[in-house]
């Protein structure tokens, strides 16, 4: 086989192909041909880089600077997977893409992006280069308007819709670009990015990638800040969806660059609702960014601002709580700032914590918020893992600060550190509550003890203590379910210790207690320990130990803990319904055991004083609580448990006082206790404790202890009181006490205890003897002695009555007993002392009650009639005890035949008198009469005496027999119930109630129950509420005592009366029936009250219809009054019983009416109906749900009813009905409800309108909830908004004249706007914003306008008031609503808002509205620039007119708005605005206002659109420079500030000199003085700003304008122009180079010096002198002398004229003259130039005699001037002479000048009386002159002698030093 030739090998073929391409390239003679060949061959040529032959791969092309086929290279890169080919493809792509046109580059963007994610997987380095190219292209990409069609199509155009992975990749890396920071520190990573990420963005080692190339540098790097902004804008476009841009948006929003953060905020606001924060992958990314990653190449933690943002997102994610390790690390790093990332680290002294910055404080606050979120939302598993570690870290942080006392060596905690400490405590509480097991509820209670110690000893401040209390409150519920006895005991021990410690005590670990923990301790006792725990109840008692000295909340908490009702309210959880029964042993609500309580509270009989004092003021509370527990046990044991509610104690009291069966049950229980040894011991212990509490007044409320003791004494069996009875002598002090209650209780106890037993003990006998002696002296008693007599009488009465009854011996046989009775009757007859009369009355009452005193045994000389008279007298005065005494006396009077008509017998007289007491309109007295009548009628059978039989001998006490009295009284009372006399009606119904209540068990009453029912029904419609209540209670009693037929009849009548509109219960009307309250219907002479009055009035006016009209009113009143009676005293129970199986069960139509009546405006009706509803409806929710439609239909029907009561009730009922119900329940009624509500809002009755407004508020709340929930089903929310918004903005809403309606409407509107989402509210935004802006002025109080017009009267200015108005607009809730609306804008709604805002700009009046419009424009320009930018040019044009508003505040606001809008406007429109400002300024005439507006506009743009201003500086800064010289101070200040903030220094004027001069020149001849002067000042300032050397070019530019500025007459301030002129002459070379200009300058300065304006002339002379010094070699003396000679002489001649103040407020005429004279002399001296007489040969030389003559002429004027002795003039002369002498030094000595200069020298030492400064100047002039004169000259001699003489006389050290220098210069004396 033959060998192939060389040309046939693959290597040779490839080399040949490359050679041909190389040849073609070599033969090209132009770049065009070269580009054409490259387009064809470059890509295939690069493929040869993948050749297998080295010789082929090494072939290269070496020509540059030509366009490359980038598109083909990109395509090849995407298609070819060879690494080498791709490398060179990228190399040429990077080189060639910058050579392409911009559009050609952008066309490559989709191709570059496609497959980018896949490219990254293959080669990250190559992808980095491609991504870098993409970022460069983004700088040239013009993004369409957001929301436009082009923006929506951008994703499709870029091909990202089909390539989701590429879109996610690009978005992700653009987000990393936003995080990226380019640092020269050498770090490999940066916050949020790993080293690999940073390498990618740096192109793996190309450090200049983010470095811009400057002059002489070839770097093509990018500006990182601009790239971030461009990336953010690209991300915000339609190219990406919300989920892709979420993380980059988050990164951007936390950036410090506002340009970037604004874009990020906008993106984040739109993306957050779309992204699920429960996505675990997303959360993992966020945690990774927050914390960074481990390892050398890992990422650093994010910056604090971004960390704070991320934490805010975590606080909205429940899933985030499951990242246990990450959460622990977050908290740990937040509490240890020294380990934070780079921007957290600072230089700190070892051992000290770094000071917090604001960013760290914000981060920590957010960390604690996240900790709270974790505690609330975390799962049990997560919290179990998190809580212990977190609590430990938080405790360590607090202890590191110093615990419980802050470290003394530290300078004190900063505000941020205190805030962190506070958050730590709160977080500990929440975490411990969330995971209590093992952390909190453990045997040692370590954390709880730590918190208690913190509360007691932490010295950080009050705010910290509040946080500790909050932490302790958080963990209260953790112990409620504890069943561990050891933990409970430990808790009790801890609480007892904290209850006992006082402020100032040394607690655990020697920490001083600085704060009481008693309140928290007692709260823990009430919430964490069961009610039956006696230690917990002891803590409640101890809480009351200090009584009034204790804090109110501690006392209140202690009282709650001793009440089972409040305890249950404090602990509503923990037990299931089955265990809430107090009889259950497992129930935490079970009552404490009485015996256990006694053992805990009282150590037994004979408690020491210290032991009793341990409880302090809580002793009486302990006694009362034990009493209640014992009685509760007793009643429960007999199945009569009292109701546990707020009145638990009173319920027990009621049973003990009035319930015979209850008292029997208590006696039975006590007897059982006395039968057991242990029970007897503890009961005796309690009784003795009560006894001790009564006799020791230092133990709290001793009277309450006494009441408890009395109660048990009256209920206990006789044998059980022996121990107490033996101590009865100790009651003596209480019996004689000053307190009435103490005397009464002690006397009663004494009577019960002393009367027991067969014989009387010596102690009792001794006391009785003392009592008798006290009583014997009753007539002589005064002061406290009367109290002793009072107690003695009561004690004797109680003792005697009980003793006689127990012995069954009712006769008064003993002398002392008879004497006692005589004394009582004597006191009653003759005494005037109220206490003695009360005692005598009560004594008679007790003796009669127990049958000791009867009508037959009244001792002589008294009799029963006289006794009755005395008691009647007191009863007529309203004394209830006297009334009861009469009733008890009647029990001992016998019936007679005369008693049928209440005859003359004692019984008849008593009953007749009691009956006549109806005239006393005192309800309490009438109830006493009723009780007395029941006693008179039934004796001891009356239930009113149940609680008065406090001793028991087995029989009832003696009492007269009754057979007919009850029938007689009952018939009389029933008859009187029909009367029309108001007083008798009221008395009769009360008496009837008492008879039915106390005697209802007797047959006489049973037989008349139907008559009683009828009588009571007649009072249900009574006008008196007391009568209604009494009748209601009476019907209830009748119902309870009647049979079933009677009950059904009663129900039928009641319901019929309730549901009908007729008054069936009102009874008959007679002429005396009172229908109205007196004064309710005034007639002028009186008022209509009774039916008779109506008839008389109708007769007088001749209109019989008045009768029917008034009766209709009375009937309506009766209807509603009768309905109010339905709930009185348990009448609702009747209906409740009937609802089960009676009448109501068959008539459910009652529910709609009853539901409405529950909201009746009448308080009584409302209360009654609520009682009925509660009793009738056992399950309100199910009942309402069942009858919902019926009820609502009834309400909507009646809401427009004729009666205002019904309308008002219906509004309130609808409001209650819809609250808390699902909307689908009433959705079909919503439209009707809103419509009817709006109608009723305009009701004629004010109260109905208020009810309708309340309903509207409820509907608004429903709407708000619907909006918040995003409920858009059936467009409910949108439909509701369409109905409610117009109403709120209508005259019935925000424009209403009623302030409360305005307030409601505004609040409602704000709530709607706040609750709505953008989708629902957006269609309403344009109109809503416009209306709200208009309403800003409408709702402003009219008083503001009055103040504005009359500001001077109140010492204010209109501007001050406007400032207040402006501030109120900024903080207005309506502005907040407007801002909220703007936040929801999109492109379509912005288009509609444009017309709304334009309308507002044109039509709104009033400062608030117009300022509001300006603020809207500001907000749109700053916070919503994306949607507003297309409209910026238009609004900037509209604002031009608005800034001319006559009100300064409005004008300023619109000017500021223009500045903000200019940010977004085009350059052309901003320039037009600048032109408008110039036109305003220069065409303003003499009106300062327009120039101020111009200044405000320019200042606003410079301040709020800084970038735009800087970019257009060349066009505006020349104008600013000119205008900053405006004579108006405000205008000048604004322009000056703008200039200073936008230029780098004074010489910046040179940059704009041509423009300034061109702009100034036309206005230097302006007819408007202000403009002309401004232009002149600008030229002058420009000259001064040009520096010490003015170039010829610049001088020629400015000279014409400067010359023009000096033309014309003088004016205020022209001297500054002249000064600038001199400066120009000095600093420029124009005068030397141009003779014409030099001549013009000389003529100008001479002309100005000759001006006669007094103020101007003094400055002109100074300028003349300065100009003379500038002009070297020119003889000026003659010209200056001609100007100054006459002036000086004139001023010297006028020296004695009167000094006159300047009218303009400037210097006075004398000062002006002095200055003018001084300046003239100084200038004259300066004009003498000796050099002109010493000119070199060949130059012009003046004769020497001329110099001497000049000096002589000048000396004459100087001498005259010195004679005036003016300091200013002398100083000026000395300055001029010094300058003159300096010039002489440069000439030789001339004898011709010696004489005249000697005269000058002589004047120098005539300064004896001059100021030190003048003397110093004289010495300096002498020294200067000495340098010219030789020693032999007369000048020298005169100077030497003058200096020596002055040295002798001078006292000033500084002047002496000068003189010594002069002496040395003059040399020694010859």
């Amino acid at each position: 086989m033959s060998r192939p030739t060389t040309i046939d090998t693959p290597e040779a073929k490839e080399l040949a192909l490359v050679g041909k391409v190389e040849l073609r390239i070599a033969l090209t003679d132009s770049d065009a041909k070269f580009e054409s060949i490259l387009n064809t061959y470059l890509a295939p040529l690069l493929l040869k880089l993948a050749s297998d032959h080295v010789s082929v791969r090494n072939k290269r092309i070496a020509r540059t600077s030509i366009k490359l086929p980038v598109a083909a290279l990109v395509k090849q890169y995407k298609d070819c997977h060879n690494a080498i080919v791709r490398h060179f493809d990228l190399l040429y792509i990077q080189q060639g893409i910058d050579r392409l046109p911009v559009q050609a580059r952008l066309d490559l963007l989709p191709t570059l992006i496609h497959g980018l994610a896949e490219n990254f997987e293959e080669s990250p380095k190559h992808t980095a280069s491609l991504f870098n190219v993409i970022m460069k292209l983004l700088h040239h990409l013009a993004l369409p308007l957001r929301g436009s069609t082009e923006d929506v199509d951008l994703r499709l155009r870029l091909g990202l819709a089909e390539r989701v992975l590429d879109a996610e990749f690009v978005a992700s890396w653009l987000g990393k670009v936003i995080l990226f920071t380019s640092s020269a520190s050498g770090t490999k990573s940066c916050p949020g990015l790993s080293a690999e990420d940073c390498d990618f963005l740096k192109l793996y080692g190309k450090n200049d990638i983010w470095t811009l190339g400057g002059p002489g540098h070839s770097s093509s790097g990018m500006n990182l800040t601009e790239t971030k902004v461009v990336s953010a804008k690209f991300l915000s476009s339609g190219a990406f969806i919300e989920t892709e841009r979420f993380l980059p948006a988050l990164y951007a929003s936390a950036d410090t660059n506002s340009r970037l953060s604004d874009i990020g905020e906008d993106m984040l606001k739109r993306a957050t609702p779309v992204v699920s924060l429960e996505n675990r992958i997303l959360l993992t990314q966020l945690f990774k960014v927050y914390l960074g990653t481990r390892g050398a190449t890992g990422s650093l933690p994010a910056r604090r601002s971004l960390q704070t943002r991320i934490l805010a997102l975590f606080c909205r994610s429940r899933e985030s709580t499951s990242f246990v390790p990450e959460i622990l690390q977050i908290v740990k790093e937040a509490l240890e700032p020294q380990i934070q990332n780079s921007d957290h680290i600072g230089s700190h002294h070892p051992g000290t914590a770094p000071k917090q910055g604001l960013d760290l404080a914000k981060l920590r606050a957010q960390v604690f918020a996240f900790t709270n979120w974790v505690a609330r939302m975390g799962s049990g598993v997560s919290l179990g893992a998190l809580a212990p570690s977190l609590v430990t870290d938080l405790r360590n942080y607090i202890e590191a600060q110093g615990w419980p006392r802050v470290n003394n060596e530290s300078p004190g905690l900063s505000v941020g550190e205190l805030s962190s400490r506070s958050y730590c405590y709160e977080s500990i509480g929440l975490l411990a509550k969330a995971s209590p097991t093992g952390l909190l509820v453990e045997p040692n209670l370590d954390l709880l003890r730590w918190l208690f110690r913190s509360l007691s000893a932490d010295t950080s401040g009050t705010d910290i203590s509040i946080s500790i209390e909050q932490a302790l409150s958080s963990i209260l519920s953790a112990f409620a379910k504890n069943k561990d006895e050891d933990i409970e005991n430990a808790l009790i021990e801890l609480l007892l210790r904290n209850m006992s410690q006082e402020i100032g005590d040394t607690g655990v670990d020697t920490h001083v207690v600085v704060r009481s923990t008693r309140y928290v301790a007692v709260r823990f006792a009430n919430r964490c320990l069961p009610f039956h725990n006696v230690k917990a109840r002891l803590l409640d008692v101890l809480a009351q130990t200090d009584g009034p000295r204790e804090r109110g909340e501690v006392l209140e908490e202690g009282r709650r803990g001793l009440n089972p009702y409040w305890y249950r309210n404090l602990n509503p959880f923990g037990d299931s319904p089955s265990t809430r029964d107090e009889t259950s042993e497992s129930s935490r609500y079970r009552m404490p055991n009485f015996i256990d309580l006694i053992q805990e509270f009282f150590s037994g009989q004979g408690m020491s004083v210290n032991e009793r004092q341990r409880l302090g003021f809580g002793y009486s509370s302990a006694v009362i609580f034990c009493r209640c527990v014992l009685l509760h046990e007793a009643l429960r044991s007999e199945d009569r448990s009292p109701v546990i509610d707020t009145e638990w104690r009173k319920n027990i009291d009621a049973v003990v006082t009035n319930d015979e069966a209850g008292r029997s049950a208590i006696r039975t229980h006590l007897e059982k206790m006395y039968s057991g040894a242990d029970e007897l011991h503890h009961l005796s212990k309690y009784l003795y404790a009560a006894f001790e509490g009564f006799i020791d007044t230092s133990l709290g409320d001793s009277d309450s202890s006494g009441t408890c003791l009395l109660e048990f004494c009256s209920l206990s069996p006789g044998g059980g009181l022996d121990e107490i009875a033996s101590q009865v002598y100790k009651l003596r002090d209480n019996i004689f006490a000053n307190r009435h209650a103490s005397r009464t209780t002690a006397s009663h106890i004494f009577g019960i205890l002393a009367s027991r037993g067969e014989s009387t003990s010596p102690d009792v006998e001794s006391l009785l003897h003392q009592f008798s002696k006290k009583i014997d002296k009753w007539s002589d008693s005064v002061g406290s002695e009367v109290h002793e007599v009072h107690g003695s009488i009561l004690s004797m009465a109680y003792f005697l009555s009980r003793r006689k009854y127990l012995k069954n011996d009712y006769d008064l046989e003993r002398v002392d007993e008879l004497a006692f009775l005589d004394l009582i009757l004597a006191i009653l007859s003759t005494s005037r002392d109220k206490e003695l009369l009360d005692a005598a009355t009560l004594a008679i009452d007790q003796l009669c009650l127990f049958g000791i005193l009867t009508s037959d045994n009244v001792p002589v000389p008294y009799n029963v009639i006289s006794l009755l008279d005395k008691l009647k007298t007191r009863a007529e005065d309203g004394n209830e005890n006297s009334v009861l005494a009469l009733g008890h006396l009647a029990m001992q009077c016998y019936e007679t035949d005369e008693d049928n008509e209440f005859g003359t017998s004692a019984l008849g007289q008593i009953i007749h008198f009691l009956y006549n007491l109806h005239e006393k309109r005192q309800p309490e007295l009438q109830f006493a009469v009723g009780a007395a009548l029941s006693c008179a009628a039934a004796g001891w059978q009356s239930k009113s005496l149940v609680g008065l039989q406090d001793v028991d001998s087995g029989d009832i006490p003696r009492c007269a027999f009754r057979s007919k009295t009850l029938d007689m009284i009952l018939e009389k009372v029933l008859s009187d119930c029909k009367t029309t006399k108001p007083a008798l009606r009221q008395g009769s119904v009360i008496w009837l109630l008492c008879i039915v209540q106390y005697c209802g068990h007797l047959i006489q009453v049973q037989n008349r129950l139907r008559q009683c029912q009828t009588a009571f029904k007649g009072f249900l419609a009574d006008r008196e509420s007391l009568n209604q209540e009494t009748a209601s209670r009476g019907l209830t009693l009748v119902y309870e005592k009647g049979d079933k037929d009677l009950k059904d009849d009663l129900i039928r009548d009641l319901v019929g009366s309730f549901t009908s509109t007729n008054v069936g219960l009102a009874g008959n009307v007679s002429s005396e029936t009172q229908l109205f309250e007196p004064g309710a219907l005034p007639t002028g002479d009186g008022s209509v009250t009774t039916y008779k009055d109506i008839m008389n009035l109708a007769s007088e006016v001749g209109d019989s219809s008045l009768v029917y009209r008034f009766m209709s009113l009375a009937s309506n009143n009766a209807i509603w009054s009768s309905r109010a009676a339905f709930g009185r005293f348990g009448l609702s129970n009747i209906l409740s019983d009937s609802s089960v199986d009676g009448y109501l069960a068959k008539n459910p139509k009652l529910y709609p009416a009853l539901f409405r009546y529950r909201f009746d405006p009448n308080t009584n009706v409302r209360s009654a109906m609520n009682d009925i509803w509660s009793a009738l409806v056992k399950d309100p929710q199910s009942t309402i749900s069942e009858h919902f439609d019926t009820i609502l239909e009834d309400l909507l029907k009646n809401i427009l009813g004729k009666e205002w009561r019904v309308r008002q009730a219906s509004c309130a009922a609808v409001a209650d009905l819809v609250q808390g119900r699902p909307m689908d329940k009433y959705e079909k009624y919503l439209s009707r409800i809103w419509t009817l509500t709006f109608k009723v809002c305009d009701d004629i009755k004010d109260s109905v309108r208020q009810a309708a407004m309340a309903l509207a508020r409820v509907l608004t709340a429903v709407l708000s909830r619907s909006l918040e929930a995003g409920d858009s089903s059936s467009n409910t929310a949108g439909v509701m908004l369409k109905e409610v918004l117009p109403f709120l903005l209508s005259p019935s809403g925000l424009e209403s004249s009623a302030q409360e309606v305005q307030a409601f409407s505004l609040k409602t509107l704000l709530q709607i706007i706040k609750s709505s989402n953008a989708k629902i509210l957006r269609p309403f935004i344009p109109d809503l914003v416009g209306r709200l802006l208009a309403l800003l002025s409408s709702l402003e109080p009219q008083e503001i306008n009055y103040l504005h017009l009359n500001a001077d009267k109140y010492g204010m200015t209109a501007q001050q008031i406007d400032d207040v108005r402006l501030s109120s607009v900024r903080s207005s809730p309506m502005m907040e609503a407007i801002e909220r609306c703007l936040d929801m804008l999109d492109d379509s709604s912005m288009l509609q808002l444009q017309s709304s805002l334009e309308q507002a700009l044109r039509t709104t009046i009033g400062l608030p509205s117009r300022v509001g419009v300006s603020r809207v424009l500001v907000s749109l320009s700053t916070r919503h620039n994306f949607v507003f930018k297309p409209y910026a040019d238009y609004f900037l044009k509209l604002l031009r007119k608005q800034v001319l508003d006559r009100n300064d505040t409005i004008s300023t606001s619109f000017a500021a708005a223009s500045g903000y809008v200019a940010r977004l406007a085009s350059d052309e429109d901003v320039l037009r605005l600048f032109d408008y400002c110039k036109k305003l300024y220069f065409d303003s005439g003499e009106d300062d206002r327009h120039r101020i507006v111009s200044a405000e506009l320019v200042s606003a743009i410079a301040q709020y659109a800084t970038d735009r201003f800087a970019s257009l500086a060349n066009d505006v800064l020349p104008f600013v420079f000119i205008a900053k010289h405006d004579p108006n101070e405000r205008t000048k200040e604004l322009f000056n500030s703008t200039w200073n903030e936008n230029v780098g220094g004074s010489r910046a004027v040179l940059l704009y000199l041509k423009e300034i001069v061109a702009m100034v020149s036309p206005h230097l001849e302006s007819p408007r003085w202000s403009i002309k002067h401004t232009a002149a000042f600008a030229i002058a300032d420009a000259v001064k700003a040009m520096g010490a050397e003015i170039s010829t070019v610049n001088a020629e530019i400015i000279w014409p304008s400067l010359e023009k500025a000096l033309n014309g007459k003088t004016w205020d301030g022209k001297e500054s122009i002249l000064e600038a002129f001199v400066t120009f002459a000095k600093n420029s070379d124009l005068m030397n180079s141009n003779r014409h200009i030099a001549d013009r300058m000389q003529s100008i300065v001479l002309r100005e010096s000759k001006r006669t304006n007094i103020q101007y002339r003094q400055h002109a002379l100074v300028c003349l002198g300065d100009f003379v010094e500038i002009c070297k070699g020119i003889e000026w003396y003659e010209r200056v002398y001609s100007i100054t000679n006459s002036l000086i002489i004139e001023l010297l001649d006028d020296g004695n004229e009167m000094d006159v103040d300047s009218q303009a407020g400037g210097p006075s005429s004398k000062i002006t003259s002095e200055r003018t004279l001084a300046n003239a002399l100084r200038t004259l001296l300066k004009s003498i130039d000796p050099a002109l007489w010493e000119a070199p040969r060949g130059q012009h030389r003046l004769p020497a005699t001329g110099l001497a003559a000049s000096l002589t002429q000048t000396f004459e004027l100087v001498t005259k001037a010195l004679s005036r002795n003016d300091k200013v003039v002398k100083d000026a002369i000395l300055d001029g002479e010094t300058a003159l002498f300096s010039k002489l030094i440069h000439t030789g000595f001339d004898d011709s000048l010696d004489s005249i200069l000697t005269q000058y020298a002589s004047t120098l030492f005539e300064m004896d009386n001059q100021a030190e400064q003048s003397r110093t100047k004289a010495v300096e002039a002498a020294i200067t002159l000495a340098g010219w004169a030789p020693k032999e000259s007369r000048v020298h001699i005169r100077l030497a002698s003058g200096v020596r003489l002055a040295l002798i006389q001078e006292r000033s050290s500084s002047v002496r030093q000068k003189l010594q220098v002069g002496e040395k210069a003059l040399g020694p004396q010859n």
Side-chain angles (χ1 to χ4, degrees), residues 1364-1422:
V1364 174
R1365 298 168 77 188
L1366 180 62
S1367 176
S1368 66
V1369 170
R1370 290 173 177 170
S1371 59
S1372 168
M1374 279 201 289
M1375 281 306 302
E1376 295 180 12
I1378 292 171
E1379 291 287 354
R1380 168 71 175 159
C1381 290
L1382 298 180
D1383 289 341
M1384 302 180 191
L1385 284 174
D1386 62 3
D1387 297 304
S1388 60
S1389 56
M1390 182 62 224
L1391 181 62
Q1392 300 173 20
L1393 181 63
Q1394 177 192 6
S1395 58
S1396 180
L1397 283 179
E1398 182 179 356
Q1399 182 72 9
L1401 274 171
R1402 298 182 188 276
T1403 61
T1404 54
I1405 57 175
L1407 182 142
S1409 295
R1410 295 185 67 74
V1411 170
V1413 174
S1414 71
R1415 291 194 59 79
V1416 168
L1417 292 173
V1418 170
S1419 180
L1420 288 172
S1421 303
T1422 53

Side-chain angles (χ1 to χ4, degrees), residues 945-959:
L945 303 177
V946 167
L948 300 182
Q949 190 172 356
D950 46 26
V951 291
D952 188 8
S953 66
D955 298 323
I956 62 173
R958 184 171 65 176
C959 178

Side-chain angles (χ1 to χ4, degrees), residues 855-910:
S855 59
D856 297 334
N857 63 356
V858 178
V860 179
Y862 308 102
N863 56 50
V864 69
I865 300 303
S866 63
L867 178 59
L868 288 177
D869 291 339
K870 297 300 180 183
L871 292 176
K872 287 178 182 178
T873 302
R874 300 209 71 211
E876 286 175 344
D877 293 335
N879 187 281
E880 295 179 31
N881 288 335
S882 298
V883 173
L884 293 174
L886 285 170
H888 297 162
L889 177 58
M891 293 169 60
Q892 308 304 329
C893 297
Y894 297 96
E895 293 178 347
T896 64
D897 294 337
E898 298 177 354
D899 293 336
N900 290 331
E901 296 297 332
F902 302 113
T904 58
S905 67
L907 177 60
Q909 290 188 47
I910 293 173

Side-chain angles (χ1 to χ4, degrees), residues 774-775 777-778 781 785-793 836:
K774 295 286 185 183
I775 298 171
K777 299 178 182 179
W778 70 269
S781 301
E785 294 175 350
V786 175
H787 298 157
E788 295 177 357
V789 174
H790 178 272
S792 299
I793 293 173
L836 294 181

Side-chain angles (χ1 to χ4, degrees), residues 1058 1120 1123 1153-1160 1165-1166 1169:
F1058 171 68
W1120 292 100
R1123 285 166 183 161
L1154 183 58
F1155 187 86
R1156 184 178 74 249
Y1157 286 138
R1158 290 175 58 218
F1159 305 92
D1160 191 85
V1165 173
R1166 186 167 62 251
M1169 295 307 162

